[in-house]
C-alpha cells in the first residue's frame, strides 16, 4: 500500500554540542514539508592495472542534506542562524532578541527527527549536527509568508523502528500572511509593496577528522544577508540612492556607501502589536540593482530592488518565555 505524508512527521531541536544534546520536539512551522532528504557516503572507485573494471570501492565522508518548506508561524528557527536569543520580561509578553555578535561566530546546530510509518516496518531517522546553511522568507500579495530552510548534516546512525509522535503544537502558533507584513526602507514605509524576500546564508561548513567518516564539528564563514522587493514606482528616491553609490546622483560628487535612514531596513510581521510580532531590522543596506517593469499601456509600473545588508537583528515578542 502506498504511503503519503499523512504517515510521516518531522521535528527538530537545538543541540547543546555538535551532534548531541537534542530532543527533537519543535515544529518548523505550519504546512511544514520535507521536500528533499539525501545522504551520501562519497564513494570512491578504485581501479587497478591490467583491467578496465572497478577493482574496489572506498568510502569518504558521510554527508546529508534536507530541504524544508513551511509557512511562518513562529520566530524560533532564526536561532539556528543567529544563535540563542536573549530573553527579557518577567511575564507575558516576553521579548526574544537574536543579534548577539558572539553568537554569530559559532554555528548553532540542530537535530532533525524524521518518522515514517512504513507499510511493513516503521522508520525513524535522526539527522544530527545539522547546519541551517540558508534560510529564505518571502511574502507576496495574496499569499502566506513562505519559508525555506536548507540543512546540511554530518552525523546519522542506523535508523530506529520505534515510531515517535508528531511535534508538540506550540502554545503560540499563527499563520502569517502578506496582510500581516510591512516593509520599511531608508526610513520610509514601502507603499503598495507587492512582494518582499529575505535570504540568510551563514556559509557554514562541516569539519571532518581522522578516525571517523562522520563530521566532528562545524564552523561558519561570513553571513550573507540579501533580498529583494517589488513596489509601485512613485518617486526617484531609491533610484537616486543607487546613483549616489557611484557618485552619479543629483548631489554632485556625493558618495553614499549605504542607504541610511532610521530604520535603514525593517521587515515586520504583526499578529498583535503588543503581544506577538516579529521585527527584523538591518543596517548597512546597499542596493545592487534596480529595474522598472510595466511601462506599457494601462499596466501598473513597478520598481524591483535587489539589495544586500551588513548586519541583522530579530526581535520577537511572544507570550511564551522559551523557544518552543
Amino acid at each position: 500500500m502506498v504511503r503519503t505524508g499523512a504517515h510521516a512527521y518531522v521535528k527538530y531541536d537545538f543541540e547543546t554540542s555538535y551532534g548531541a544534546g537534542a530532543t527533537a520536539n519543535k515544529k518548523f512551522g505550519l504546512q511544514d514539508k520535507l521536500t528533499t532528504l539525501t545522504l551520501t557516503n562519497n564513494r570512491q572507485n578504485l581501479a587497478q592495472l591490467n583491467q578496465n573494471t572497478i577493482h574496489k570501492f572506498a568510502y569518504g565522508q558521510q554527508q546529508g542534506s534536507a530541504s524544508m518548506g513551511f509557512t511562518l508561524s513562529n520566530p524560533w528557527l532564526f536561532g539556528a542562524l543567529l544563535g540563542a536569543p536573549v530573553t527579557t520580561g518577567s511575564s507575558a509578553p516576553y521579548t526574544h532578541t537574536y543579534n548577539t555578535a558572539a553568537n554569530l561566530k559559532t554555528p548553532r546546530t540542530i537535530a532533525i527527527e524524521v518518522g515514517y510509518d512504513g507499510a511493513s516496518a516503521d522508520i525513524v531517522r535522526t539527522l544530527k549536527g545539522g547546519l541551517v546553511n540558508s534560510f529564505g522568507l518571502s511574502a507576496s500579495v495574496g499569499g502566506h509568508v513562505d519559508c525555506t530552510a536548507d540543512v546540511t548534516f554530518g552525523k546519522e546512525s542506523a535508523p530506529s523502528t520505534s515510531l515517535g509522535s508528531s511535534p508538540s503544537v506550540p502554545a503560540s502558533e499563527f499563520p502569517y500572511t502578506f496582510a500581516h507584513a510591512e516593509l520599511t526602507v531608508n526610513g520610509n514605509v514601502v507603499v503598495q509593496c507587492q512582494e518582499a524576500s529575505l535570504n540568510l546564508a551563514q556559509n557554514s561548513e562541516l569539519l571532518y577528522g581522522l578516525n571517523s567518516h562522520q563530521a566532528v564539528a562545524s564552523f561558519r564563514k561570513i553571513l550573507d544577508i540579501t533580498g529583494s522587493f517589488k513596489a509601485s514606482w512613485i518617486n526617484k528616491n531609491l533610484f537616486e540612492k543607487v546613483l549616489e553609490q557611484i557618485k552619479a546622483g543629483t548631489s554632485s560628487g556625493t558618495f553614499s556607501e549605504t542607504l541610511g535612514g532610521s530604520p535603514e531596513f525593517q521587515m515586520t510581521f504583526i499578529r498583535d502589536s503588543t503581544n506577538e510580532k516579529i521585527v527584523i531590522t538591518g543596517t548597512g543596506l546597499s542596493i545592487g540593482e534596480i529595474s522598472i517593469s510595466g511601462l506599457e499601456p494601462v499596466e501598473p509600473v513597478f520598481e524591483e530592488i535587489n539589495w544586500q545588508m551588513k548586519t541583522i537583528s530579530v526581535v520577537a515578542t511572544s507570550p511564551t518565555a522559551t523557544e518552543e
Side-chain angles (χ1 to χ4, degrees), residues 89-249:
S90 56
S91 60
Y94 300 90
T95 300
H96 309 274
T97 302
Y98 299 87
N99 70 348
T100 306
N103 287 343
L104 297 179
K105 297 179 181 179
T106 303
R108 190 184 188 197
T109 56
I110 65 173
I112 300 175
E113 183 178 311
V114 181
Y116 181 65
D117 181 10
S120 60
D122 296 333
I123 303 171
V124 179
R125 295 179 57 177
T126 304
L127 324 176
K128 299 179 180 180
L131 295 167
V132 180
N133 252 333
S134 64
F135 173 75
L137 179 153
S138 63
S140 59
V141 171
H144 306 112
V145 180
D146 295 320
C147 298
T148 59
D150 292 321
V151 182
T152 300
F153 59 94
K155 299 184 71 173
E156 183 179 1
S157 299
S160 166
T161 56
S162 299
L163 197 66
S165 59
S166 298
S168 297
V169 176
S172 179
E173 185 179 46
F174 179 73
Y176 288 96
T177 73
F178 75 99
H180 304 100
E182 183 178 84
L183 179 64
T184 300
V185 172
N186 190 220
N188 301 301
V189 174
V190 179
V191 298
Q192 299 174 5
C193 187
Q194 301 299 294
E195 57 189 52
S197 67
L198 168 70
N199 301 290
L200 302 178
Q202 60 177 338
N203 294 297
S204 296
E205 293 186 12
L206 300 172
L207 183 67
Y208 293 82
L210 297 178
N211 196 37
S212 176
H213 290 279
Q214 298 182 333
V216 295
S218 62
F219 61 96
R220 68 185 304 168
K221 296 182 179 179
I222 197 165
L223 177 66
D224 285 326
I225 312 163
T226 59
S228 65
F229 66 88
K230 176 181 178 181
S232 293
W233 192 22
I234 60 173
N235 56 42
K236 64 182 180 64
N237 293 351
L238 294 179
F239 178 64
E240 283 282 359
K241 291 294 183 180
V242 174
L243 295 178
E244 286 177 6
Q245 292 170 356
I246 54 174
K247 291 187 177 181

